[in-house]
Amino acid sequence: MKYVNASNILPEHLIAEIQKYVQGETLYIPKPETAYRKWGSCSGGRKLIDDRNASIKRAFKSGHSIDQLAEEHFLSIETIKKIVYSRNKH
């Protein structure tokens, strides 16, 4: 997270209003919720996990056991169960 001096980007009247509440402190202004991105959406990590989970579900439907899938994918048996029995995409 980078810090920006408010006087470099905000109008004076807005700085004066903010100074009524806080002065000389670091103030974090969060993004609006509409600007949030889901985990892994930029790096591609989410797609890799989704693809892996789809592969696990296909293998389970074609007869692979939960134990086999856990060993093949280096995941716990409980994690494999969550993947194969989930109804949603993730």
Coordinates of all heavy atoms in Angstrom, one line a residue:
M1 N 0.8 -1.2 0.0 CA 0.0 0.0 0.0 C 0.9 1.2 0.0 O 1.8 1.3 0.8 CB -0.9 0.0 1.2 CG -1.8 1.1 1.3 SD -2.8 1.2 2.8 CE -2.9 -0.4 3.4
K2 N 0.7 2.1 -0.9 CA 1.5 3.3 -1.0 C 0.7 4.5 -0.3 O -0.5 4.5 -0.3 CB 1.9 3.7 -2.4 CG 0.7 4.1 -3.3 CD 1.2 4.4 -4.7 CE -0.1 4.8 -5.5 NZ 0.3 5.2 -6.9
Y3 N 1.4 5.4 0.2 CA 0.8 6.6 0.9 C 1.0 7.8 0.0 O 2.0 8.0 -0.7 CB 1.5 6.8 2.2 CG 1.3 5.7 3.2 CD1 2.2 4.7 3.3 CD2 0.1 5.6 3.9 CE1 2.0 3.6 4.2 CE2 -0.1 4.5 4.7 CZ 0.8 3.5 4.9 OH 0.6 2.5 5.7
V4 N 0.0 8.6 0.0 CA 0.0 9.8 -0.8 C -0.4 11.0 0.1 O -1.3 10.9 0.9 CB -1.1 9.7 -1.9 CG1 -1.2 11.0 -2.8 CG2 -0.8 8.5 -2.8
N5 N 0.3 12.1 -0.1 CA 0.0 13.3 0.7 C -1.3 13.9 0.2 O -1.4 14.2 -1.0 CB 1.2 14.3 0.5 CG 1.0 15.5 1.4 OD1 -0.1 15.9 1.8 ND2 2.2 16.1 1.8
A6 N -2.2 14.0 1.1 CA -3.6 14.5 0.7 C -3.5 15.9 0.1 O -4.3 16.1 -0.9 CB -4.5 14.5 1.9
S7 N -2.6 16.7 0.5 CA -2.6 18.1 -0.1 C -2.1 18.0 -1.6 O -2.4 19.0 -2.3 CB -1.6 19.0 0.7 OG -0.3 18.5 0.7
N8 N -1.6 16.9 -2.0 CA -1.2 16.8 -3.4 C -2.3 16.4 -4.3 O -2.2 16.5 -5.5 CB -0.1 15.8 -3.6 CG 1.2 16.2 -2.9 OD1 1.5 17.4 -2.7 ND2 2.1 15.3 -2.6
I9 N -3.4 15.8 -3.7 CA -4.5 15.3 -4.6 C -5.9 15.8 -4.2 O -6.8 15.7 -5.1 CB -4.5 13.8 -4.6 CG1 -4.7 13.2 -3.2 CG2 -3.2 13.2 -5.2 CD1 -4.9 11.7 -3.2
L10 N -6.1 16.3 -3.0 CA -7.4 16.7 -2.6 C -7.6 18.2 -2.6 O -6.6 18.9 -2.3 CB -7.8 16.2 -1.2 CG -7.8 14.6 -1.1 CD1 -8.0 14.3 0.4 CD2 -8.8 14.0 -2.0
P11 N -8.7 18.7 -2.9 CA -9.0 20.2 -2.8 C -8.9 20.7 -1.4 O -9.2 19.9 -0.4 CB -10.4 20.4 -3.4 CG -11.0 19.0 -3.4 CD -9.9 18.0 -3.4
E12 N -8.5 21.9 -1.2 CA -8.3 22.5 0.2 C -9.5 22.4 1.0 O -9.4 22.1 2.2 CB -7.8 23.9 0.1 CG -6.4 24.1 -0.4 CD -5.9 25.5 -0.4 OE1 -6.4 26.3 0.5 OE2 -5.1 25.9 -1.2
H13 N -10.7 22.6 0.5 CA -11.9 22.6 1.3 C -12.2 21.1 1.8 O -12.7 21.0 2.9 CB -13.1 23.1 0.5 CG -13.6 22.2 -0.6 ND1 -13.0 22.2 -1.9 CD2 -14.6 21.3 -0.6 CE1 -13.6 21.3 -2.6 NE2 -14.6 20.7 -1.9
L14 N -11.8 20.1 1.1 CA -12.0 18.8 1.5 C -11.0 18.4 2.6 O -11.3 17.8 3.6 CB -11.9 17.8 0.3 CG -12.2 16.3 0.6 CD1 -13.5 16.1 1.3 CD2 -12.1 15.5 -0.7
I15 N -9.8 18.9 2.4 CA -8.8 18.7 3.5 C -9.2 19.3 4.8 O -9.1 18.7 5.9 CB -7.4 19.2 3.0 CG1 -6.9 18.3 1.9 CG2 -6.4 19.2 4.2 CD1 -5.6 18.8 1.2
A16 N -9.7 20.5 4.7 CA -10.2 21.3 5.9 C -11.3 20.5 6.6 O -11.4 20.4 7.8 CB -10.7 22.7 5.5
E17 N -12.2 19.9 5.8 CA -13.3 19.1 6.4 C -12.7 17.8 7.1 O -13.2 17.5 8.2 CB -14.3 18.7 5.3 CG -15.5 18.0 5.7 CD -16.4 18.9 6.6 OE1 -16.4 20.2 6.4 OE2 -17.1 18.4 7.5
I18 N -11.8 17.1 6.4 CA -11.2 15.9 7.0 C -10.4 16.3 8.3 O -10.5 15.6 9.3 CB -10.3 15.2 6.0 CG1 -11.1 14.7 4.8 CG2 -9.5 14.1 6.7 CD1 -10.3 14.2 3.7
Q19 N -9.8 17.5 8.3 CA -9.0 17.9 9.5 C -9.9 18.1 10.7 O -9.4 18.1 11.8 CB -8.2 19.1 9.2 CG -7.0 18.8 8.3 CD -6.3 20.1 7.8 OE1 -6.9 21.1 7.7 NE2 -5.0 19.9 7.5
K20 N -11.2 18.3 10.5 CA -12.1 18.4 11.6 C -12.1 17.1 12.4 O -12.5 17.1 13.6 CB -13.5 18.7 11.2 CG -13.6 20.1 10.6 CD -15.1 20.4 10.1 CE -15.2 21.7 9.5 NZ -16.6 21.9 8.9
Y21 N -11.8 16.0 11.8 CA -11.9 14.7 12.4 C -10.6 14.0 12.7 O -10.5 13.3 13.7 CB -12.7 13.7 11.4 CG -14.1 14.2 11.1 CD1 -14.3 14.9 10.0 CD2 -15.1 13.9 12.0 CE1 -15.6 15.4 9.7 CE2 -16.4 14.4 11.7 CZ -16.6 15.1 10.5 OH -17.9 15.6 10.3
V22 N -9.6 14.3 11.9 CA -8.2 13.8 12.2 C -7.2 14.7 11.6 O -7.4 15.3 10.5 CB -8.1 12.3 11.5 CG1 -8.3 12.4 10.0 CG2 -6.9 11.6 12.0
Q23 N -6.0 14.8 12.3 CA -4.9 15.6 11.9 C -3.6 14.9 12.2 O -3.5 14.4 13.2 CB -4.9 17.0 12.6 CG -6.1 17.8 12.4 CD -6.7 18.3 13.7 OE1 -6.0 18.3 14.7 NE2 -8.0 18.6 13.7
G24 N -2.7 14.9 11.2 CA -1.4 14.4 11.4 C -1.4 12.9 11.5 O -0.4 12.3 12.0
E25 N -2.4 12.2 11.2 CA -2.5 10.8 11.3 C -2.5 10.2 9.9 O -2.9 10.8 8.9 CB -3.8 10.3 12.0 CG -3.9 10.9 13.4 CD -2.9 10.2 14.4 OE1 -2.6 9.0 14.1 OE2 -2.5 10.8 15.3
T26 N -2.2 8.9 9.8 CA -2.4 8.2 8.5 C -3.8 7.7 8.4 O -4.3 7.1 9.4 CB -1.4 6.9 8.5 OG1 -0.1 7.4 8.6 CG2 -1.6 6.2 7.2
L27 N -4.4 8.0 7.3 CA -5.8 7.7 7.1 C -6.0 6.7 6.0 O -5.5 7.0 4.9 CB -6.6 9.0 6.9 CG -8.1 8.8 6.7 CD1 -8.8 8.4 7.9 CD2 -8.7 10.2 6.3
Y28 N -6.6 5.6 6.2 CA -6.9 4.6 5.1 C -8.2 4.9 4.6 O -9.2 4.9 5.3 CB -6.8 3.2 5.7 CG -7.2 2.1 4.7 CD1 -6.3 1.8 3.6 CD2 -8.4 1.5 4.8 CE1 -6.7 0.9 2.7 CE2 -8.7 0.5 3.8 CZ -7.9 0.3 2.8 OH -8.3 -0.7 1.9
I29 N -8.3 5.0 3.3 CA -9.6 5.2 2.6 C -9.8 3.9 1.7 O -9.1 3.8 0.7 CB -9.6 6.5 1.7 CG1 -9.4 7.7 2.6 CG2 -11.0 6.6 1.0 CD1 -9.2 9.0 1.9
P30 N -10.7 3.1 2.1 CA -10.9 1.8 1.4 C -11.6 2.0 0.0 O -12.2 3.0 -0.2 CB -11.8 1.0 2.3 CG -12.6 2.0 3.1 CD -11.7 3.2 3.2
K31 N -11.4 1.0 -0.8 CA -12.1 1.0 -2.1 C -13.6 0.8 -1.9 O -13.9 0.1 -0.9 CB -11.6 -0.1 -3.0 CG -10.2 -0.1 -3.4 CD -9.9 -1.3 -4.2 CE -8.4 -1.4 -4.6 NZ -8.2 -2.7 -5.4
P32 N -14.4 1.2 -2.8 CA -15.8 0.8 -2.7 C -15.9 -0.7 -3.0 O -15.1 -1.2 -3.7 CB -16.5 1.7 -3.8 CG -15.4 2.1 -4.7 CD -14.1 2.2 -3.9
E33 N -16.9 -1.3 -2.4 CA -17.0 -2.8 -2.6 C -17.1 -3.2 -4.1 O -16.8 -4.3 -4.4 CB -18.2 -3.3 -1.8 CG -17.9 -3.3 -0.3 CD -19.0 -4.0 0.4 OE1 -19.7 -4.9 -0.1 OE2 -19.2 -3.7 1.6
T34 N -17.7 -2.3 -4.9 CA -17.8 -2.6 -6.3 C -16.5 -2.7 -7.0 O -16.4 -3.3 -8.1 CB -18.7 -1.6 -7.0 OG1 -18.1 -0.3 -6.8 CG2 -20.1 -1.5 -6.5
A35 N -15.4 -2.2 -6.4 CA -14.1 -2.3 -7.0 C -13.3 -3.5 -6.5 O -12.2 -3.7 -7.0 CB -13.3 -1.0 -6.7
Y36 N -13.8 -4.3 -5.6 CA -13.1 -5.4 -5.1 C -13.0 -6.5 -6.2 O -13.9 -6.7 -7.0 CB -13.8 -6.1 -3.9 CG -13.8 -5.3 -2.6 CD1 -14.6 -5.6 -1.6 CD2 -12.9 -4.2 -2.4 CE1 -14.6 -4.9 -0.4 CE2 -12.9 -3.5 -1.3 CZ -13.7 -3.8 -0.2 OH -13.7 -3.1 0.9
R37 N -11.9 -7.2 -6.2 CA -11.7 -8.3 -7.1 C -11.7 -9.6 -6.3 O -11.2 -9.6 -5.1 CB -10.5 -8.2 -7.9 CG -10.5 -7.0 -8.8 CD -9.2 -7.0 -9.6 NE -9.2 -5.8 -10.4 CZ -8.1 -5.2 -10.8 NH1 -6.9 -5.7 -10.5 NH2 -8.1 -4.2 -11.6
K38 N -12.2 -10.7 -6.8 CA -12.1 -11.9 -6.1 C -10.7 -12.4 -6.1 O -9.9 -12.1 -7.0 CB -13.0 -13.0 -6.8 CG -14.5 -12.6 -6.6 CD -15.3 -13.8 -7.1 CE -16.8 -13.5 -6.9 NZ -17.6 -14.5 -7.2
W39 N -10.4 -13.3 -5.1 CA -9.0 -13.8 -4.9 C -8.6 -14.5 -6.2 O -9.4 -15.3 -6.7 CB -9.0 -14.8 -3.7 CG -7.7 -15.4 -3.6 CD1 -6.6 -15.0 -2.9 CD2 -7.3 -16.6 -4.2 NE1 -5.5 -15.8 -3.0 CE2 -5.9 -16.9 -3.8 CE3 -7.9 -17.6 -5.0 CZ2 -5.2 -18.0 -4.2 CZ3 -7.2 -18.7 -5.4 CH2 -5.8 -18.9 -5.0
G40 N -7.4 -14.3 -6.6 CA -6.8 -15.0 -7.8 C -7.3 -14.6 -9.1 O -6.9 -15.1 -10.1
S41 N -8.2 -13.6 -9.2 CA -8.7 -13.2 -10.5 C -7.7 -12.5 -11.4 O -7.7 -12.6 -12.6 CB -9.9 -12.2 -10.3 OG -9.5 -11.0 -9.7
C42 N -6.7 -11.8 -10.8 CA -5.6 -11.2 -11.6 C -4.5 -12.2 -11.9 O -3.9 -12.1 -13.0 CB -5.1 -10.0 -10.8 SG -6.3 -8.6 -10.7
S43 N -4.1 -13.0 -10.9 CA -3.0 -13.9 -11.1 C -3.3 -15.1 -11.9 O -2.4 -15.8 -12.4 CB -2.4 -14.2 -9.7 OG -3.3 -15.1 -9.1
G44 N -4.5 -15.5 -12.0 CA -4.9 -16.7 -12.6 C -5.0 -17.9 -11.7 O -5.3 -19.0 -12.1
G45 N -4.7 -17.6 -10.4 CA -4.8 -18.7 -9.4 C -6.2 -19.3 -9.2 O -6.3 -20.5 -9.1
R46 N -7.2 -18.5 -9.3 CA -8.6 -19.0 -9.2 C -8.9 -19.9 -10.3 O -9.5 -20.9 -10.1 CB -9.5 -17.8 -9.2 CG -11.0 -18.1 -9.1 CD -11.4 -18.4 -7.7 NE -11.5 -19.9 -7.4 CZ -11.4 -20.4 -6.2 NH1 -11.2 -19.7 -5.2 NH2 -11.4 -21.7 -6.1
K47 N -8.5 -19.6 -11.5 CA -8.8 -20.4 -12.7 C -8.1 -21.8 -12.5 O -8.6 -22.8 -12.9 CB -8.4 -19.8 -14.0 CG -8.7 -20.6 -15.2 CD -8.4 -19.9 -16.5 CE -8.7 -20.7 -17.7 NZ -9.1 -22.1 -17.6
L48 N -6.8 -21.8 -12.1 CA -6.1 -23.0 -11.9 C -6.8 -23.9 -10.9 O -6.9 -25.1 -11.1 CB -4.7 -22.7 -11.4 CG -3.7 -22.1 -12.4 CD1 -2.4 -21.8 -11.7 CD2 -3.5 -23.1 -13.6
I49 N -7.3 -23.4 -9.8 CA -8.0 -24.2 -8.8 C -9.3 -24.7 -9.3 O -9.7 -25.8 -9.1 CB -8.1 -23.4 -7.5 CG1 -6.8 -23.2 -6.8 CG2 -9.1 -24.1 -6.5 CD1 -6.7 -22.4 -5.6
D50 N -10.0 -23.8 -10.1 CA -11.3 -24.2 -10.6 C -11.1 -25.4 -11.6 O -11.9 -26.3 -11.6 CB -12.0 -23.0 -11.3 CG -12.5 -22.0 -10.4 OD1 -12.7 -22.3 -9.2 OD2 -12.8 -20.9 -10.8
D51 N -10.0 -25.3 -12.4 CA -9.7 -26.3 -13.4 C -9.4 -27.6 -12.7 O -9.8 -28.7 -13.1 CB -8.6 -25.9 -14.4 CG -9.0 -24.8 -15.3 OD1 -10.2 -24.5 -15.4 OD2 -8.1 -24.2 -15.9
R52 N -8.6 -27.5 -11.6 CA -8.2 -28.7 -10.9 C -9.4 -29.3 -10.2 O -9.6 -30.6 -10.3 CB -7.2 -28.3 -9.8 CG -6.8 -29.5 -8.9 CD -6.3 -29.0 -7.5 NE -7.4 -28.5 -6.7 CZ -7.3 -27.9 -5.6 NH1 -6.1 -27.7 -5.0 NH2 -8.3 -27.4 -4.9
N53 N -10.3 -28.5 -9.7 CA -11.5 -29.1 -9.0 C -12.4 -29.8 -10.0 O -13.0 -30.8 -9.7 CB -12.2 -28.0 -8.2 CG -11.4 -27.5 -7.0 OD1 -10.4 -28.1 -6.7 ND2 -11.9 -26.5 -6.4
A54 N -12.5 -29.2 -11.2 CA -13.3 -29.8 -12.3 C -12.7 -31.1 -12.7 O -13.5 -32.1 -12.9 CB -13.5 -28.8 -13.4
S55 N -11.4 -31.2 -12.8 CA -10.8 -32.4 -13.1 C -11.0 -33.5 -12.0 O -11.2 -34.7 -12.3 CB -9.3 -32.2 -13.3 OG -8.5 -33.4 -13.4
I56 N -10.9 -33.1 -10.8 CA -11.2 -34.0 -9.7 C -12.6 -34.5 -9.7 O -12.8 -35.7 -9.6 CB -10.9 -33.3 -8.3 CG1 -9.4 -33.1 -8.2 CG2 -11.4 -34.1 -7.1 CD1 -8.9 -32.2 -7.0
K57 N -13.6 -33.7 -10.0 CA -15.0 -34.1 -10.1 C -15.2 -35.1 -11.2 O -15.9 -36.1 -11.0 CB -15.9 -32.9 -10.3 CG -16.2 -32.1 -9.0 CD -17.2 -31.0 -9.3 CE -17.6 -30.4 -8.0 NZ -18.7 -29.5 -8.1
R58 N -14.6 -34.8 -12.4 CA -14.7 -35.7 -13.5 C -14.1 -37.1 -13.2 O -14.7 -38.1 -13.5 CB -14.0 -35.1 -14.7 CG -14.8 -34.1 -15.4 CD -14.2 -33.7 -16.8 NE -12.8 -33.3 -16.7 CZ -12.4 -32.1 -16.5 NH1 -13.2 -31.1 -16.4 NH2 -11.1 -31.8 -16.5
A59 N -12.9 -37.1 -12.5 CA -12.3 -38.4 -12.2 C -13.1 -39.1 -11.2 O -13.2 -40.4 -11.3 CB -10.9 -38.1 -11.6
F60 N -13.7 -38.4 -10.2 CA -14.6 -39.1 -9.2 C -15.8 -39.7 -9.9 O -16.1 -40.9 -9.6 CB -15.0 -38.1 -8.2 CG -15.9 -38.7 -7.1 CD1 -15.3 -39.6 -6.2 CD2 -17.2 -38.4 -7.0 CE1 -16.1 -40.1 -5.2 CE2 -18.0 -38.9 -6.0 CZ -17.5 -39.8 -5.1
K61 N -16.4 -39.0 -10.8 CA -17.6 -39.5 -11.6 C -17.2 -40.7 -12.4 O -18.0 -41.5 -12.7 CB -18.2 -38.4 -12.4 CG -19.0 -37.4 -11.5 CD -19.6 -36.3 -12.4 CE -20.3 -35.3 -11.5 NZ -20.8 -34.2 -12.3
S62 N -16.0 -40.7 -12.9 CA -15.5 -41.9 -13.8 C -15.0 -43.0 -13.0 O -14.5 -44.0 -13.5 CB -14.5 -41.4 -14.8 OG -13.3 -41.1 -14.2
G63 N -15.1 -43.0 -11.6 CA -14.8 -44.1 -10.8 C -13.6 -44.1 -9.9 O -13.3 -45.0 -9.2
H64 N -12.8 -43.0 -10.0 CA -11.7 -42.9 -9.0 C -12.2 -42.7 -7.6 O -13.2 -42.1 -7.4 CB -10.8 -41.7 -9.4 CG -10.0 -41.9 -10.6 ND1 -10.5 -41.8 -11.9 CD2 -8.7 -42.2 -10.8 CE1 -9.6 -42.0 -12.8 NE2 -8.4 -42.2 -12.2
S65 N -11.5 -43.4 -6.7 CA -11.9 -43.3 -5.3 C -11.4 -41.9 -4.7 O -10.5 -41.3 -5.2 CB -11.4 -44.4 -4.5 OG -10.0 -44.3 -4.2
I66 N -12.0 -41.5 -3.6 CA -11.6 -40.3 -2.9 C -10.2 -40.5 -2.4 O -9.4 -39.5 -2.5 CB -12.6 -40.0 -1.7 CG1 -13.9 -39.5 -2.3 CG2 -12.0 -39.0 -0.8 CD1 -15.0 -39.3 -1.4
D67 N -9.8 -41.7 -1.9 CA -8.4 -41.9 -1.4 C -7.4 -41.7 -2.6 O -6.4 -41.1 -2.4 CB -8.3 -43.3 -0.8 CG -9.0 -43.4 0.5 OD1 -9.3 -42.4 1.2 OD2 -9.4 -44.6 0.9
Q68 N -7.8 -42.3 -3.7 CA -6.9 -42.2 -4.9 C -6.7 -40.7 -5.3 O -5.6 -40.2 -5.5 CB -7.5 -42.9 -6.1 CG -7.4 -44.4 -6.1 CD -8.1 -44.9 -7.3 OE1 -9.2 -44.5 -7.6 NE2 -7.4 -45.9 -8.0
L69 N -7.8 -39.9 -5.3 CA -7.7 -38.5 -5.7 C -6.9 -37.7 -4.7 O -6.2 -36.8 -5.1 CB -9.1 -38.0 -5.9 CG -9.9 -38.6 -7.0 CD1 -11.4 -38.2 -7.0 CD2 -9.3 -38.1 -8.4
A70 N -7.1 -38.0 -3.4 CA -6.3 -37.3 -2.4 C -4.8 -37.5 -2.6 O -4.0 -36.6 -2.5 CB -6.8 -37.7 -1.0
E71 N -4.5 -38.8 -2.9 CA -3.1 -39.1 -3.1 C -2.5 -38.4 -4.3 O -1.4 -37.9 -4.3 CB -2.9 -40.6 -3.1 CG -1.4 -41.0 -3.0 CD -1.3 -42.5 -2.8 OE1 -2.1 -43.1 -2.1 OE2 -0.4 -43.1 -3.5
E72 N -3.3 -38.5 -5.4 CA -2.8 -37.9 -6.7 C -2.6 -36.4 -6.7 O -1.7 -35.9 -7.3 CB -3.8 -38.2 -7.8 CG -3.9 -39.7 -8.3 CD -5.0 -39.9 -9.3 OE1 -5.4 -39.0 -9.9 OE2 -5.4 -41.1 -9.4
H73 N -3.5 -35.7 -5.9 CA -3.5 -34.3 -5.9 C -2.9 -33.7 -4.7 O -2.9 -32.5 -4.5 CB -4.9 -33.8 -6.1 CG -5.5 -34.1 -7.4 ND1 -5.2 -33.3 -8.6 CD2 -6.3 -35.1 -7.9 CE1 -5.9 -33.8 -9.6 NE2 -6.5 -34.9 -9.2
F74 N -2.4 -34.6 -3.8 CA -1.7 -34.1 -2.6 C -2.6 -33.2 -1.7 O -2.2 -32.2 -1.2 CB -0.4 -33.4 -2.9 CG 0.6 -34.2 -3.7 CD1 0.7 -34.0 -5.1 CD2 1.3 -35.2 -3.1 CE1 1.6 -34.7 -5.8 CE2 2.2 -36.0 -3.9 CZ 2.3 -35.7 -5.2
L75 N -3.9 -33.7 -1.6 CA -4.9 -33.0 -0.8 C -5.4 -34.0 0.2 O -5.3 -35.2 0.1 CB -6.1 -32.5 -1.7 CG -5.7 -31.5 -2.8 CD1 -6.9 -31.2 -3.7 CD2 -5.3 -30.2 -2.1
S76 N -6.0 -33.4 1.3 CA -6.6 -34.3 2.3 C -7.9 -34.9 1.8 O -8.5 -34.4 0.8 CB -6.9 -33.5 3.6 OG -8.0 -32.6 3.3
I77 N -8.3 -36.0 2.4 CA -9.5 -36.7 2.0 C -10.7 -35.8 2.2 O -11.6 -35.7 1.4 CB -9.6 -38.0 2.8 CG1 -8.6 -39.0 2.4 CG2 -11.0 -38.6 2.7 CD1 -8.5 -40.3 3.2
E78 N -10.7 -35.0 3.3 CA -11.8 -34.1 3.6 C -11.9 -33.0 2.5 O -13.0 -32.6 2.1 CB -11.6 -33.4 4.9 CG -11.8 -34.3 6.1 CD -13.2 -35.0 6.0 OE1 -14.2 -34.4 5.8 OE2 -13.2 -36.3 6.2
T79 N -10.8 -32.5 2.0 CA -10.8 -31.5 0.9 C -11.3 -32.1 -0.4 O -12.2 -31.5 -1.1 CB -9.4 -31.0 0.6 OG1 -8.9 -30.3 1.8 CG2 -9.4 -30.0 -0.5
I80 N -11.0 -33.3 -0.7 CA -11.5 -34.0 -1.9 C -13.0 -34.2 -1.7 O -13.8 -34.0 -2.7 CB -10.8 -35.4 -2.1 CG1 -9.3 -35.2 -2.4 CG2 -11.5 -36.2 -3.2 CD1 -9.0 -34.5 -3.7
K81 N -13.5 -34.6 -0.5 CA -14.9 -34.7 -0.3 C -15.6 -33.4 -0.6 O -16.7 -33.4 -1.2 CB -15.2 -35.2 1.1 CG -14.9 -36.7 1.3 CD -15.2 -37.1 2.8 CE -14.8 -38.5 3.1 NZ -15.1 -38.8 4.5
K82 N -15.1 -32.3 -0.1 CA -15.7 -31.0 -0.3 C -15.8 -30.7 -1.8 O -16.8 -30.2 -2.2 CB -14.9 -29.9 0.4 CG -15.1 -29.9 1.9 CD -14.2 -28.8 2.5 CE -14.2 -28.9 4.1 NZ -13.3 -27.9 4.7
I83 N -14.8 -31.0 -2.5 CA -14.8 -30.8 -3.9 C -15.8 -31.6 -4.7 O -16.6 -31.1 -5.4 CB -13.3 -31.0 -4.5 CG1 -12.4 -29.9 -4.0 CG2 -13.4 -30.9 -6.1 CD1 -10.9 -30.2 -4.2
V84 N -15.8 -32.9 -4.5 CA -16.6 -33.8 -5.2 C -18.1 -33.7 -4.9 O -18.9 -34.0 -5.7 CB -16.1 -35.3 -5.2 CG1 -14.7 -35.4 -5.8 CG2 -16.2 -35.9 -3.8
Y85 N -18.4 -33.3 -3.6 CA -19.8 -33.3 -3.2 C -20.3 -31.9 -3.3 O -21.5 -31.7 -3.0 CB -19.9 -33.8 -1.8 CG -19.6 -35.3 -1.7 CD1 -18.7 -35.8 -0.7 CD2 -20.1 -36.2 -2.6 CE1 -18.4 -37.1 -0.6 CE2 -19.8 -37.6 -2.5 CZ -19.0 -38.0 -1.5 OH -18.6 -39.3 -1.5
S86 N -19.5 -30.9 -3.7 CA -20.1 -29.5 -3.8 C -20.9 -29.4 -5.0 O -20.6 -30.0 -6.0 CB -18.9 -28.5 -3.8 OG -18.2 -28.6 -5.0
R87 N -21.9 -28.5 -4.9 CA -22.7 -28.3 -6.1 C -22.3 -27.1 -6.9 O -22.6 -26.9 -8.1 CB -24.2 -28.1 -5.6 CG -24.8 -29.3 -5.1 CD -26.2 -29.1 -4.7 NE -26.7 -30.3 -4.0 CZ -28.0 -30.5 -3.7 NH1 -28.8 -29.5 -4.0 NH2 -28.3 -31.6 -3.1
N88 N -21.7 -26.1 -6.2 CA -21.3 -24.9 -6.9 C -20.0 -25.1 -7.7 O -19.4 -26.1 -7.6 CB -21.2 -23.7 -5.9 CG -20.1 -24.0 -4.8 OD1 -19.5 -25.0 -4.9 ND2 -20.0 -23.1 -3.9
K89 N -19.7 -24.0 -8.4 CA -18.5 -24.1 -9.4 C -17.2 -24.2 -8.6 O -16.3 -24.9 -9.0 CB -18.5 -22.7 -10.2 CG -17.4 -22.7 -11.2 CD -17.4 -21.4 -11.9 CE -16.3 -21.3 -12.9 NZ -16.2 -20.0 -13.6
H90 N -17.1 -23.6 -7.4 CA -15.8 -23.6 -6.7 C -15.8 -24.8 -5.7 O -16.2 -24.8 -4.7 CB -15.5 -22.3 -6.0 CG -15.5 -21.1 -7.0 ND1 -14.8 -21.1 -8.1 CD2 -16.2 -20.0 -6.9 CE1 -15.0 -20.0 -8.7 NE2 -15.8 -19.3 -8.0

